């Protein structure tokens, strides 16, 4: 019999009432028992369990560092602590409900831990035959980034120590970001139903896949990490965890106007909250059990356009229609 999977709502700490503490304690004990037996937990279940270990007042419960199942949780916290502002201190952590400054000794220890994680994760990235589709897509995307970095820093440039140090730091950034995106993508896929990633549009279905989320978050978020001036980055309106839902809502409204045929174009341009966006949708194939290779419409990329020249070109070549307040579609 399959073990119960806890929903997002069930894993939410709703209050500090006695009743709520009893409810969440039962879930904590159940998940901890499963984890210690080596059973697979969902990303959200692992996060709930490790947050509970971090907050517990009972010493016998242990702490996240005591358990292998919290390794990913610890990594995510360290990654966000040090890389949310591109390794520019000061750094802060949440400890027992308080935000505290990280002292120098702890910083050194944490950065050594992140270096070990990077050295281990690259072993997964170089593999080309993962059975996990998310890891397969992630590894492919990350290898492209690493290849571009090596092209930017060829061996003769890396002979200078400063260049070697710059290359090593940027390489670790790419590797660590890919690990963070892996857990983000797994969490998003586990937290939603299959139909949440399918968008009905002009009589077809557009799919938002693991590739879609990996490619977009890797290329068009976290500008300081990527350090690529040729790309544009999301600063507002769209968060990675809800991106598939946001795009589904917008495209559904656009489709009601019947001005875009996805069979005649591979990109959709719209303006939302005074920002112009370009969404690329292309024909691809995916393996479906019992059907083999099936052609789908897959979201390839999604990014904002800030360049005034590009925006002028769009305005010169497209009609602009208001969908609702703050939302416009461009069409030919």
């Amino acid at each position: 019999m399959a073990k119960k999977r806890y929903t997002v709502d069930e894993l939410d700490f709703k209050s500090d009432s006695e009743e709520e503490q009893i409810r969440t304690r039962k879930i904590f004990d159940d998940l901890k028992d499963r984890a210690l037996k080596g059973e697979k937990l969902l990303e959200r279940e692992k996060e709930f369990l490790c947050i509970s270990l971090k907050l517990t007042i009972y010493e016998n419960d242990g702490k996240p560092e005591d358990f292998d199942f919290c390794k990913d949780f610890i990594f995510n916290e360290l990654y966000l602590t040090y890389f949310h502002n591109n390794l520019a201190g000061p750094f802060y952590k949440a400890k027992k409900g308080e935000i505290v400054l990280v002292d120098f000794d702890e910083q050194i220890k944490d950065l050594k831990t992140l270096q070990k994680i990077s050295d281990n994760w690259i072993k997964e990235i170089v593999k080309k035959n993962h059975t996990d589709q998310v890891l397969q897509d992630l590894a492919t995307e990350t290898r492209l980034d690493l290849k571009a970095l090596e092209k930017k820093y060829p061996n003769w440039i890396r002979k200078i120590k400063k260049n070697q140090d710059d290359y090593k730091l940027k390489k670790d950034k790419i590797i660590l970001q890919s690990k963070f995106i892996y857990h983000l993508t797994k969490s998003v896929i586990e937290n939603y139903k299959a139909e949440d990633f399918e968008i009905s549009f002009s009589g077809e279905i557009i799919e938002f896949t693991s590739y879609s989320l990996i490619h977009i978050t890797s290329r068009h978020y976290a500008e300081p990490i990527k350090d690529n001036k040729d790309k544009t980055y999301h600063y507002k309106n769209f968060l990675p965890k809800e991106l598939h839902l946001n795009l589904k809502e917008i495209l559904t409204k656009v489709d009601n106007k019947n001005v875009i045929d996805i069979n005649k174009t591979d990109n959709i341009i719209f303006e939302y909250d005074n920002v112009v966006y370009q969404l690329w949708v292309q024909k691809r194939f995916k393996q479906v059990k019992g059907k083999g290779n099936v052609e789908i419409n897959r979201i390839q990329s999604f990014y904002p356009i800030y360049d005034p020249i590009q925006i002028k070109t769009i305005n010169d070549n497209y009609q602009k229609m208001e969908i609702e307040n703050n939302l416009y579609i461009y069409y030919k």
Side-chain angles (χ1 to χ4, degrees), residues 215 219-220 223 226 228-233 235 304 306:
H215 181 85
R219 298 297 177 96
H220 300 289
E223 180 178 9
K226 305 308 289 188
N228 187 340
K229 303 304 180 184
D230 295 330
K231 302 293 182 183
T232 59
Y233 299 88
Y235 302 119
Y306 303 119

Side-chain angles (χ1 to χ4, degrees), residues 7-17 19-29 31 44-56 73:
T7 66
V8 174
D9 184 64
E10 287 174 319
L11 297 175
D12 182 28
F13 296 92
K14 296 178 174 60
S15 70
D16 59 357
S17 68
E19 181 182 12
E20 178 68 1
Q21 289 184 43
I22 292 172
R23 182 189 74 83
T24 53
R25 182 72 201 193
K26 287 181 179 178
I27 297 175
F28 169 79
D29 289 335
L31 290 177
R44 63 174 179 265
E45 292 172 333
K46 287 190 289 185
E47 184 178 22
F48 171 88
L49 179 55
C50 298
I51 288 176
S52 299
L53 284 168
K54 191 172 182 179
L55 297 176
T56 184
F73 172 81

Side-chain angles (χ1 to χ4, degrees), residues 95-107:
K95 294 184 178 181
K96 297 297 182 183
E98 295 184 7
I99 303 298
V100 299
L101 181 68
V102 183
D103 63 38
F104 183 74
D105 288 342
E106 187 172 356
Q107 289 178 37

Side-chain angles (χ1 to χ4, degrees), residues 266-319:
D266 61 357
N267 70 98
I268 300 170
I269 303 171
F270 64 86
E271 180 182 312
Y272 178 69
D273 196 18
N274 299 314
V275 179
V276 176
Y277 294 94
Q278 187 147 25
L279 176 74
W280 291 91
V281 180
Q282 295 177 351
K283 300 287 185 183
R284 289 293 184 268
F285 287 90
K286 74 172 184 179
Q287 280 286 333
V288 177
K289 191 174 182 179
K291 295 182 179 180
N293 266 341
V294 175
E295 188 178 56
I296 63 170
N297 299 294
R298 185 177 75 182
I299 291 179
Q300 293 293 107
S301 193
F302 172 62
Y303 50 82
I305 299 174
Y306 303 119
D307 180 27
I309 296 176
Q310 280 186 274
I311 293 175
K312 183 180 185 306
T313 300
I314 291 170
N315 283 314
D316 289 346
N317 290 279
Y318 289 81
Q319 299 291 322

Side-chain angles (χ1 to χ4, degrees), residues 65 85-86 88 115 142 168 176 198 200 208 223 286 319:
E65 292 76 15
N85 58 354
N86 196 25
Q115 184 62 64
T142 307
K168 185 67 172 68
L176 292 171
E198 297 177 350
S200 179
F208 188 99
E223 180 178 9
K286 74 172 184 179
Q319 299 291 322

